[in-house]
Amino acid sequence: MTKSNTISDHYARGKLVSSIQSALQSSGIPLEEVTVNDLGPVDEFHTGGRVATAHLLEKTSLQQNDKVLDIGCGIGGTGRFIADQYAVSVRGIDLTPEYIETAKVLNNWVSLSNRIDVVAGDATALPYADEDFDAAIMLHVGMNIAEKPRLFSEIHRVLRPGGHFSLYDVMGKSDATFELPVPWATDSSMSYIQSSAEYIAQLESEGFQIESIEGRGDFAKSFFKKMREANESGAAPAPVGLHLLMGSAIKLKMRNFAQAVFDDILEPTEIIAVKR
């Protein structure tokens, strides 16, 4: 089994569309009325969800009719939010075929298929022409990619000069080890954590200029604290949520991730870069 297949299998759930449909019905939301916001709790698979997405996009300088690349698009939540809020077109790519098939269905549900196209593929070998995009985004993806220079080179290639690359990844804050599994990795063979300094050096080497960097550790700690309090209250989780993506291992994976953030071993971090 190849490395890419192992990572894809880590994320695949099976019957994901039907699970989301059932959860919406349990929430009293008919499919013909479902909105982008209704899907937000399940389709923004990164620390802080939709709030974190909005924070990143505020710095991305998107213009109406821009063409945006969503790298590691998952089931398409960020792409749908961007297309809905910014009136742009989106191309998404993800390694997990089930995520792509699910994204297509959800795009149809919210009537955004005409502005979003998603494909299964490898972010280190993008199937797009040179200088094809005005902007690129990537949220919690680099932790699964060992060849970050190749990834950044490909993103630089497909961006137009002056285009923004906005990323939000979990980065290393210290060299200490952390417990596995975590949301992005069952074991160490899937996890490629690097520091923000390493990210910056590699981005600059591939032709990007760093516009801003922001550690989001305090935001992540607040997010995990609220999640912990909700769990301790004994209240049942809302039907539409990340448990539909992560399955029964969600508590262990999130607990390990949260502990690493509270221990200042890991820190979700934003970097905004511009193609020189």
Side-chain angles (χ1 to χ4, degrees):
M1 181 178 289
T2 67
K3 180 69 70 178
S4 61
N5 285 341
T6 300
I7 292 171
S8 178
D9 289 345
H10 168 80
Y11 288 105
R13 290 267 71 84
K15 300 182 179 179
L16 189 49
V17 170
S18 61
S19 295
I20 295 172
Q21 183 173 347
S22 295
L24 290 169
Q25 291 172 341
S26 297
S27 300
I29 303 171
L31 284 188
E32 60 270 18
E33 297 178 11
V34 68
T35 67
V36 170
N37 285 337
D38 291 331
L39 296 172
V42 66
D43 64 13
E44 297 268 16
F45 192 9
H46 46 264
T47 312
R50 181 62 53 76
V51 174
T53 302
H55 188 274
L56 183 70
L57 292 175
E58 287 173 359
K59 306 176 182 180
T60 307
S61 301
L62 294 179
Q63 304 296 321
Q64 188 172 351
N65 298 320
D66 274 355
K67 189 175 181 181
V68 181
L69 175 61
D70 184 3
I71 302 143
C73 65
I75 64 172
T78 298
R80 283 187 289 276
F81 180 68
I82 293 172
D84 184 55
Q85 294 292 309
Y86 292 88
V88 299
S89 65
V90 178
R91 300 293 180 268
I93 184 168
D94 198 275
L95 196 61
T96 303
E98 184 187 12
Y99 276 9
I100 293 300
E101 294 309 310
T102 302
K104 291 177 180 178
V105 174
L106 272 54
N107 291 342
N108 279 327
W109 286 357
V110 295
S111 302
L112 285 172
S113 294
N114 62 325
R115 287 162 53 192
I116 305 173
D117 181 65
V118 292
V119 298
D122 185 345
T124 65
L126 294 171
Y128 305 110
D130 295 355
E131 300 184 4
D132 200 20
F133 293 92
D134 300 291
I137 59 167
M138 188 177 85
L139 293 89
H140 283 32
V141 174
M143 305 96 70
N144 283 131
I145 298 178
E147 298 178 337
K148 291 185 182 65
R150 184 176 171 186
L151 168 68
F152 296 152
S153 175
E154 276 291 271
I155 296 168
H156 187 275
R157 177 183 65 79
V158 301
L159 273 178
R160 294 168 187 157
H164 280 79
F165 172 36
S166 303
L167 68 91
Y168 176 51
D169 265 358
V170 179
M171 301 184 192
K173 197 172 181 181
S174 83
D175 292 331
T177 58
F178 55 92
E179 293 293 322
L180 294 165
V182 287
W184 63 92
T186 304
D187 56 54
S188 59
S189 70
M190 303 177 193
S191 185
Y192 299 98
I193 295 292
Q194 291 187 323
S195 68
S196 58
E198 290 172 307
Y199 269 74
I200 289 170
Q202 291 167 138
L203 284 163
E204 290 179 335
S205 178
E206 297 303 328
F208 284 100
Q209 179 178 332
I210 305 303
E211 191 168 271
S212 68
I213 179 169
E214 181 179 352
R216 299 282 277 152
D218 289 342
F219 167 74
K221 290 173 184 177
S222 176
F223 170 75
F224 285 127
K225 182 179 179 182
K226 291 175 183 176
M227 181 179 291
R228 183 179 294 172
E229 289 170 349
N231 289 335
E232 291 174 350
S233 73
V240 181
L242 290 179
H243 59 280
L244 300 176
L245 294 182
M246 298 176 65
S248 60
I250 182 171
K251 289 186 178 180
L252 176 59
K253 290 179 179 180
M254 295 301 283
R255 183 167 67 243
N256 288 341
F257 180 23
Q259 192 60 54
V261 170
F262 282 114
D263 290 343
D264 290 323
I265 298 171
L266 300 177
E267 182 176 44
T269 302
E270 292 180 348
I271 297 176
I272 311 297
V274 180
K275 177 174 177 175
R276 293 198 296 260

